[in-house]
Amino acid sequence: MTIDATAKGKDFIRQSILSDLSEGKNESRVFTRFPPEPNGYLHIGHAQSICLNYGIASEFQGRCYLRFDDTNPTKESEDYVDAIKQDVLWLGFNWQEHLTHASDYFEDFYNCAMQLIEDGNAYIDSQTADEIKSSRGTLNAPGAESPYRNRSVAENQGLFERMRSGEFEEGENVLRAKIDMSAANINLRDPVLYRILHAEHQRTAGQWCIYPLYDFAHTVSDAIEGITHSLCTLEFEDHRPLYEWILDHLTLPHRPRQIEFSRLNLEHTITSKRKLSELVEKGLVEGWNDPRMPTISGMRRRGYPASAIRDFCKRVGVTKKEKSIQIAQLENSVRQELDNNSPRAMAVIKPLKVVIDNYPEDQIESLAANNHPKNQAMGTRTLPFSKEIYIEENDFMEDPPAKFFRLKPGGEVRLRFGYIIKCEEVIKDNNGDILEIHCSYDPDTKSGSGTSKRKVKGTIHWVSAKQCVSATLRLYSTLLSAANPKSISDLNEESLTVVKNAALEENLAHASPGDRFQFERTGYFVVDENSLQGEELVFNRIVTLRDSWAKMQKT
RNA sequence: UGGGGUGUAGCCAAGGGGUAAGGCAACGGGUUUUGAUCCCGUGAUUCGCAGGUUCGAAUCCUGCCACCCCAGCCA
C-alpha cells in the first residue's frame, strides 16, 4: 500500500499533512493521537475525532496513540477507561501497542516544569485563586502582574520541590508560566501550569499531589510521543500560541503541530459530557448506553452498525465551519448499511386478527420466503400459513382515503410470500371497535407458483396466529425536541414507546442479543443486549424504513 | 469596544483567477409480491454584503455585516 499523495478533494487537514510531507517534515512520519479524558463516555463527536485520527494514521502509514488524558484525578475514574477502550475497538480501530496515559509522563512534566523555572520562564504564585482571577484582567483590559512574579530561580525551585513533597494545602501555591500579563490572548497572561491536588489518582495513587493542567500536559505529551499532527477542536485555537510557547521554551525531542477543526453537532442531540451525565444522573435515561443517547455505547445498543457511523463521519467531512447535521444524514448511513446486510423478517407491531373463511380448518402450509430480496446468498426460510393470521392494524381501513393500497372492505391485498386475500366481513364489538376481519383467499395466487397472472396493488406483512412469538418492541425517536437544544429541558415525551405483545414470525424466537433484522415494511430492529433467551424477547427499533405513504398522508 | 475563528442551496461539502463537483433532504417520474431498495429527472445567472483589480473573481485587494470561541487552580 502506498500513500495517496493527491490533495484534490481531501479535507484541509489531510492537505496540510500532505504539504508537510512534501516539505520533508518529521522525517516523513505521521503520528496522531486520540486523547480522551476518562471522565465520561464517548459520543458521536468523539467518533468523528477517532475516525479522523485513526483514519489519517492508517492512510499515511503512521500510528495513532490512544492516550488517556488523566491529569485531573478529582474528575476521572478507571471505569471510564474500560468503556472508552471498548468503544474505540467496537468502532473498528486499534491502538495496538500505542496505549498511553498522560500520567505515564508525570515525572517528565515535573522535569519540564523545573526547566522552565531554571530558565526564568515560570514562577510559583502564592496568590489565592480569587486574586489570580481578579488580576487576570478582562477581554478589554490587561491583567496585573503577580507580586510573586519576580521570585528568584532558587526560591521558585525550592517552592516547587516543596509543592511536590506535599508541604502545602490545595490552593496555596501554583506554578505559572511567565509570559505576558497584558497579552491580548488571555491564555498567555501567565497561565497556571501546575496546581496542588491532594487527591488519589486512579493510576499513580498517592504518588503525586501536584498535577499539571491541560495546556502543559497535553503539549509535552504530544512532544514526547512524537505526535506530528495534534488535531483538536476549534475552542483550542486560542491555546495554540501557548502550545507553541511551551514548545519554544522546552528542550523536547519533537515538534508537534496543532490543527483545529470544528466539532460535529447533530440536530436534536446534545454532546456535552456534562449534560449527558446529567441525563444519566437524573434518571431521565436508562444510562450512558440508553439507545436514545448519542454515546457510542448508546448507538451500539440502539443497533447502529459501526460501519454506518464511520460512513456518516466520512460523509460529513472535516472543516472549520460550525456545523449542525440533520438526523436524516445519520439515518441515511444507517439505513444503507442495514439494507444491504440485514435479513428480512415479518413482525406485526399492532396485531389485527384475520380469519380466512375458505381455508381448511387445521391446515398448516409452509411458504418459502427470501431472507433478502436482492442477496440470494442470504438464503430462504419457511413461513407457516394457516386459517388465522395477524396483520398490522393500520393495514386495514374501513373507510380509506384514495390510493390506500392495503386491505379495505371488499378489497384485495397480497399477503407477502402468500396468497391474495379479499376482505369479506368486518366483525365489531358493541362499542363499534373492530374485533377481526373475515376474508377469503384465492388458492391460485400462491407466491411463486406461477399459476396466477393476477396482480394486486398492495402487499402486506402478516404472521400465523398460532405459530408466532410475542415480543416487546421499543420504538425510539429523538430524545430532545428542539433541533438545536441548548439544555436538556425540552425532553421529547415520545422518545420511547414500548409496545407489548407484538407478533413476530416464529423464526425469530431464537434470535440472539445484537442480531439485526429488517421487519418488512416497518423498520430495522435489533435484539436488545438485555433480552433474555427463553423469556420475553425485546427488540429495539434502530430506524424506520422510509415511508412515502406516511409522507403523503401528512400533506 | 481586545484577541482568535467562520460565512458556497434547507443541511453538509468540493472548488484556491477561466465561467459553481458530490452527498443528505425536498419534489416529479419509472421498476417493485416491502408505499422499502433500486433507477431516472428537477435545483445557485451565483458563492455574507459593498466596492476595487482583471479580458475574466466564489477564488486577489479594501471596507463592512453576521455568527461562534476565549477572562477554570476543567479538558
Side-chain angles (χ1 to χ4, degrees), chain A residues 46-62:
Chain A
H46 294 109
Q48 188 200 28
S49 177
I50 293 168
C51 289
L52 214 215
N53 281 293
Y54 282 94
I56 284 173
S58 109
E59 288 157 37
F60 292 94
Q61 297 164 32

Side-chain angles (χ1 to χ4, degrees), chain A residues 74-217:
Chain A
T74 64
K75 291 192 174 174
E76 298 149 5
S77 96
E78 205 63 16
D79 298 342
Y80 293 118
V81 169
D82 296 331
I84 289 169
K85 285 187 196 167
Q86 189 192 357
D87 287 347
V88 173
L89 288 174
W90 177 78
L91 250 194
F93 300 99
N94 197 312
W95 53 85
Q96 296 172 326
E97 69 269 39
H98 309 300
L99 173 69
T100 59
H101 300 76
S103 56
D104 298 339
Y105 312 127
F106 279 172
E107 196 64 46
D108 301 281
F109 298 153
Y110 181 81
N111 293 332
C112 284
M114 268 304 184
Q115 189 188 338
L116 290 179
I117 290 170
E118 283 161 16
D119 295 343
N121 291 319
Y123 62 96
I124 304 297
D125 195 346
S126 303
Q127 293 185 105
T128 64
D130 281 347
E131 285 166 341
I132 289 177
K133 182 176 180 171
S134 59
S135 60
R136 187 155 18 232
T138 67
L139 295 179
N140 296 308
E145 296 189 349
S146 165
Y148 303 98
R149 197 173 198 261
N150 295 311
R151 294 219 250 224
S152 70
V153 168
E155 188 181 5
N156 283 322
Q157 286 172 319
L159 252 12
F160 194 48
E161 280 166 8
R162 290 169 63 202
M163 276 172 67
R164 176 179 183 167
S165 64
E167 285 187 39
F168 303 111
E169 297 296 310
E170 287 184 12
E172 238 182 294
N173 289 302
V174 291
L175 179 73
R176 287 232 256 173
K178 190 190 278 190
I179 308 181
D180 180 4
M181 288 307 291
S182 61
N185 181 340
I186 293 178
N187 294 120
L188 260 19
R189 318 239 264 230
D190 289 12
V192 174
L193 265 22
Y194 259 95
R195 82 288 218 187
I196 297 168
L197 248 30
H198 290 286
E200 189 85 353
H201 186 278
Q202 60 274 19
R203 299 191 82 242
T204 60
Q207 208 179 324
W208 294 87
C209 64
I210 54 172
Y211 294 93
L213 272 87
Y214 167 82
D215 291 294
F216 190 62

